[in-house]
Amino acid sequence: MTKPLAHPAAAERFNQDEPYVDWHDETLWFVRQKRDRASKALPEWEDLRETASRIKNHVLSNLDVLLEEFERNAQANGVTVHWATDAREHNKTVLRIMQGVGATQLVKSKSMLTEECHLNHFLAEKGIDVIDSDLGERIVQLREEPPSHIVMPAIHLKKADIGEIFHEKLGTEKGATDPQYLTEAARQHLRQTFLTRKAALTGVNFAIAETGGFVVCTNEGNADMGAHLADVHIASMGFEKIIPKANHLGVFLRLLARSATGQPSTTYSSHFHRPRPGQQMHLILVDNGRSNQLGRPEFRNSLKCIRCGACMNTCPVYRRSGGHSYHNAVAGPIGAILAPNLDMRQNADLPFASTLCGSCSNVCPVKIDIDKQLYLWRQVLAKDGYVGGVKEAGLNVAAKVLASPTLYRWSFRVGRSVMRTVPFVVENRFNPWFHDREMPAAPKESFREWWAKNRNGEHGAGSEESIRSTPQAVSVS
Amino acid sequence: MSSREKILAAVRQNKPDLQPLPERIAFGERPNDVVGQFKTVLQAIGATVVEAPTHAEVRARVRETFPDFTNVAVAVSELADLADFSLSVADPHELEHVNLAILPGAFGVAENGAVWLSETEIGPHRVLPFVTQHLALIVAEENVLASMHEAYERLRVNETGFGVFIAGPSKTADIEQSLVIGAHGARSLVVYVLGASGSTR
């Protein structure tokens, strides 16, 4: 597989159309504001977050026991449980189940796991026709591109783009952009799909160990339309989606939709326990690197994620670079801490696609310390040699300079002089730092030099030593 | 070693020390007017609320809202006379022509306007509340709970093979965040709230 465009280059491309970037930024911020209104309407919001976080901490610490309990109960319910160590095994399992019932077509509701596993591509190669039934996913599928957001897959598109692809593929009127009209066209088109598919695949939001059932949340009703009409229902889940008890859903369902879109609930929260008479129900438990992540103490709690997307909607970098710039099934801050575990070399750029402002951690409904993990991944990636030449060389120089006060003072004196007299040496297209910044004029002398010249001896605090040892000295204006 | 054994072995090796489950898992104060909140939230999420003291009143209001509707499926015994579509079909695909389904809700939830339906309420075909063009649910006032915590206290999720919280009509905002009611599920939802407050209307 060819290496995708790195985040900075992809973000630069995204930023070429300024009004478009502004629109993208504002659209996501609007969703963030809806989330704020919903969360602030519940005085118990922080209790819910803390409780959800603690339930998930328990899950990670007791995962083997819960998985076995879930499997036992699901099997007793008549659900066939499969285990897949990686994406390939997951995909082959789906294919085998479909071949078992002679199905050559699959209708699929939203599942980020199948994006992670590149299931559509795999099945297409085997001659299986896959139709994504979530409206946003169907739109990006018709455009032959991946989703750009885990909750709103087509959030990067304008309605004119959607009108165009629908005109081409679904025969809607040319130039039509009315969302009502376009949604109705998709409804009619997908209704025929639901009515004719023998096999349906859904994701899983939560799987309940004590009852062996699972919950799927949608607004459109597409997961249910697929699952209840098909002869075989396949549900795919990363194994971390387990929760111990059904009444824990009270906590998680209160948080999920409010965090995702600001709704008090998704329209449908469907609880599947047993196949309907004559139907087969299969559930695939997928590892694909998760057990490895579980073994990294500083990164394991990324597995608490319930895929609400709140961290993306709030992220200043995501909002201004778009989901595709993350070249990973899950974009944004959470994607940037999950992706290096899947492939460090390919995804080494992602933990740097952040300002470390911490907004992601503040909105996370299960209290994942996303910003801290972004920072820690940078250390790991640099130490293991995955950080590219220029950045690594720059950081090495910085480390040496910052470790030596003499070298530090000397280099800044030279730097100021260069910026004043020959600014083009640093302000040029070869220095990425200047691409999007206007630099202030460099002063002739540093504060330290000014202090030594003008205030030396005052308050008995003028010596080099006292400057170094008095933190307040730097805040004197 | 099977994939199952491989995964479980890796998990056992890599999991952290056991963390306790929190003891308290329900939060928030009960509002004074639970039924009132239920109605307000339902309207906010795109549903229509109709207050009705009796099933006779529900019948009259259904005829008013859905005049001359054909292919009406009903799973409420008191309103069986409104049905012209039999649910005793073998193949769920036959339900594609249902225009209106009238179903009892087991209970409603005030905080989010959700109504719980299991196979006990839905009947033999799980797809019914999704495939129908329009959905009408009947919820008795005394069956309106305050929160999802109360809901899961009352609920046995595995009592039947399938159950669902339905909160409003199907919807999407996948095109430029413009809200469109009527995605793949029901195009509209009317909730008939059955009880005393309807009679003082």
Side-chain angles (χ1 to χ4, degrees):
Chain A
M1 213 163 102
T2 52
K3 197 167 159 53
L5 207 57
H7 185 272
E12 190 174 339
R13 188 180 284 180
F14 188 84
N15 274 269
Q16 279 165 1
D17 182 349
E18 204 169 310
Y20 168 74
V21 178
D22 289 346
W23 165 80
H24 187 267
D25 177 21
E26 284 160 17
T27 304
L28 286 150
W29 187 250
F30 170 67
V31 183
R32 154 74 208 260
Q33 287 174 316
K34 287 199 292 183
R35 172 259 172 218
D36 287 353
R37 282 195 291 276
S39 64
K40 284 176 174 60
L42 296 186
E44 64 271 33
W45 185 255
E46 290 304 316
D47 289 329
L48 290 169
R49 286 180 75 213
E50 178 62 25
T51 306
S53 169
R54 286 172 59 196
I55 294 170
K56 283 283 185 177
N57 283 337
H58 169 82
V59 167
L60 296 181
S61 74
N62 200 31
L63 197 50
D64 52 327
V65 175
L66 293 169
L67 283 169
E68 287 184 298
E69 183 187 352
F70 173 77
E71 180 191 40
R72 205 164 48 240
N73 291 325
Q75 283 169 342
N77 290 340
V79 180
T80 310
V81 178
H82 308 261
W83 301 69
T85 52
D86 57 18
R88 190 165 171 74
E89 190 175 5
H90 166 265
N91 295 348
K92 283 163 74 177
T93 305
V94 173
L95 180 65
R96 205 176 57 239
I97 296 166
M98 291 191 62
Q99 287 168 340
V101 294
T104 56
Q105 297 175 312
L106 180 71
V107 62
K108 183 160 82 67
S109 72
K110 206 187 294 170
S111 153
M112 284 307 119
L113 178 64
T114 60
E115 295 290 338
E116 176 187 318
C117 294
H118 303 289
L119 175 70
N120 287 17
H121 182 74
F122 171 88
L123 290 178
E125 279 186 346
K126 308 289 177 194
I128 302 262
D129 176 40
V130 183
I131 288 196
D132 284 318
S133 61
D134 172 80
L135 176 59
E137 283 217 307
R138 186 66 186 137
I139 291 165
V140 296
Q141 186 185 31
L142 290 173
R143 286 173 54 95
E144 296 178 20
E145 60 184 15
S148 67
H149 189 290
I150 59 175
V151 173
M152 303 168 283
I155 195 73
H156 60 292
L157 295 173
K158 306 278 277 191
K159 53 192 174 190
D161 302 324
I162 296 163
E164 200 172 305
I165 194 74
F166 274 25
H167 171 65
E168 192 189 313
K169 307 275 185 175
L170 306 183
T172 53
E173 279 174 53
K174 193 168 175 54
T177 57
D178 176 35
Q180 185 86 43
Y181 168 77
L182 295 173
T183 302
E184 181 63 27
R187 177 181 167 103
Q188 300 300 343
H189 154 68
L190 284 165
R191 207 168 164 86
Q192 280 317 304
T193 305
F194 292 127
L195 289 165
T196 51
R197 291 300 187 269
K198 286 169 77 173
L201 188 146
T202 68
V204 170
N205 289 91
F206 304 98
I208 313 155
E210 72 168 345
T211 63
F214 57 93
V215 177
V216 181
C217 302
T218 75
N219 278 323
E220 298 181 7
N222 55 315
D224 289 280
M225 285 290 282
H228 303 315
L229 288 170
D231 298 339
V232 55
H233 174 189
I234 306 168
S236 294
M237 61 176 268
F239 62 44
E240 78 282 15
K241 293 289 178 74
I242 288 270
I243 57 169
K245 293 176 185 305
N247 61 14
H248 293 146
L249 288 166
V251 175
F252 288 108
L253 290 187
R254 296 191 79 192
L255 288 165
L256 178 61
R258 288 180 172 96
S259 296
T261 59
Q263 295 170 261
S265 167
T266 50
T267 301
Y268 305 106
S269 308
S270 297
H271 299 51
F272 294 87
H273 276 87
R274 292 188 279 283
R276 63 169 204 274
Q279 187 196 34
Q280 288 184 29
M281 195 178 276
H282 296 263
L283 189 133
I284 312 176
L285 290 165
V286 182
D287 182 338
N288 202 34
R290 286 165 176 75
S291 58
N292 195 27
Q293 186 88 319
L294 188 65
R296 303 178 198 269
E298 63 276 34
F299 300 120
R300 66 164 59 107
N301 87 20
S302 59
L303 297 172
K304 288 155 67 179
C305 177
I306 59 172
R307 302 291 191 270
C308 71
C311 60
M312 301 174 192
N313 306 338
T314 200
C315 178
V317 175
Y318 176 92
R319 284 189 274 119
R320 293 178 185 85
S321 62
H324 289 157
S325 66
Y326 293 79
H327 55 78
N328 187 53
V330 181
I334 183 66
I337 61 172
L338 291 171
N341 178 57
L342 291 172
D343 185 335
M344 281 209 212
R345 185 169 302 281
Q346 179 129 311
N347 299 315
D349 54 328
L350 296 185
F352 294 90
S354 166
T355 63
L356 301 182
C357 73
S359 184
C360 45
S361 303
N362 288 334
V363 297
C364 177
V366 290
K367 291 195 168 182
I368 301 171
D369 52 350
I370 304 173
D371 63 315
K372 189 175 161 206
Q373 292 189 40
L374 286 164
Y375 175 73
L376 288 171
W377 267 120
R378 296 180 185 186
Q379 326 288 311
V380 171
L381 292 164
K383 194 163 137 274
D384 292 355
Y386 291 111
V387 176
V390 175
K391 194 172 273 167
E392 194 177 4
L395 290 172
N396 283 341
V397 171
K400 287 205 175 65
V401 170
L402 293 171
S404 156
T406 316
L407 192 54
Y408 172 85
R409 284 196 291 277
W410 175 81
S411 55
F412 273 74
R413 201 173 306 131
V414 172
R416 280 192 301 278
S417 166
V418 166
M419 282 176 68
R420 270 200 323 276
T421 52
V422 279
F424 52 86
V425 172
V426 287
E427 285 191 59
N428 60 55
R429 65 193 178 87
F430 299 107
N431 184 351
W433 189 254
F434 285 92
H435 285 176
D436 303 297
R437 292 177 177 86
E438 286 174 20
M439 297 303 285
K444 283 193 175 122
E445 58 186 10
S446 71
F447 174 73
R448 178 184 290 275
E449 288 164 346
W450 177 89
W451 179 271
K453 209 182 295 172
N454 295 294
R455 296 288 168 91
N456 216 357
E458 277 180 39
H459 316 298
S463 72
E464 282 276 310
E465 271 318 299
S466 67
I467 292 171
R468 196 172 301 145
S469 62
T470 314
Q472 302 91 301
V474 295
S475 64
V476 174
S477 60
Chain B
M1 197 157 55
S2 71
S3 297
R4 179 185 186 277
E5 292 313 311
K6 261 190 244 171
I7 291 170
L8 285 171
V11 167
R12 279 187 202 112
Q13 191 184 328
N14 289 345
K15 68 176 182 174
D17 293 340
L18 189 66
Q19 305 283 309
L21 269 177
E23 279 168 24
R24 189 170 168 206
I25 56 159
F27 303 91
E29 300 224 339
R30 212 167 193 282
N32 292 328
D33 184 7
V34 172
V35 175
Q37 188 189 21
F38 180 58
K39 292 173 187 169
T40 308
V41 174
L42 274 171
Q43 279 159 345
I45 59 177
T48 304
V49 177
V50 175
E51 296 168 341
T54 61
H55 281 101
E57 175 74 8
V58 174
R59 182 183 294 107
R61 299 299 297 272
V62 168
R63 286 193 169 129
E64 202 175 293
T65 311
F66 303 99
D68 307 322
F69 259 56
T70 56
N71 290 355
V72 177
V74 180
V76 182
S77 54
E78 293 89 338
L79 301 172
D81 56 299
L82 289 174
D84 68 348
F85 187 99
S86 168
L87 287 171
S88 46
V89 293
D91 180 357
H93 290 81
E94 293 187 33
L95 272 55
E96 68 163 306
H97 302 296
V98 173
N99 286 320
L100 172 65
I102 306 174
L103 305 176
F107 60 84
V109 182
E111 71 158 306
N112 58 13
V115 178
W116 174 258
L117 304 162
S118 72
E119 287 178 301
T120 309
E121 289 78 28
I122 298 170
H125 296 298
R126 296 173 182 182
V127 80
L128 179 59
F130 308 96
V131 77
T132 181
Q133 296 289 341
H134 301 273
L135 179 62
L137 298 175
I138 297 167
V139 179
E141 269 182 9
E142 65 266 27
N143 290 331
V144 179
L145 310 176
S147 70
M148 291 298 277
H149 304 306
E150 287 186 15
Y152 282 102
E153 264 172 47
R154 167 140 165 188
L155 198 55
R156 267 188 47 228
V157 288
N158 55 349
E159 191 169 1
T160 67
F162 175 75
V164 58
F165 282 108
I166 297 183
S170 92
K171 56 176 84 72
T172 183
D174 273 346
I175 300 177
E176 275 198 28
Q177 279 296 293
S178 304
L179 180 66
V180 177
I181 303 281
H184 303 305
R187 293 175 188 275
S188 76
L189 172 67
V190 184
V191 177
Y192 296 90
V193 181
L194 204 60
S197 66
S199 58
T200 58
R201 203 160 46 95

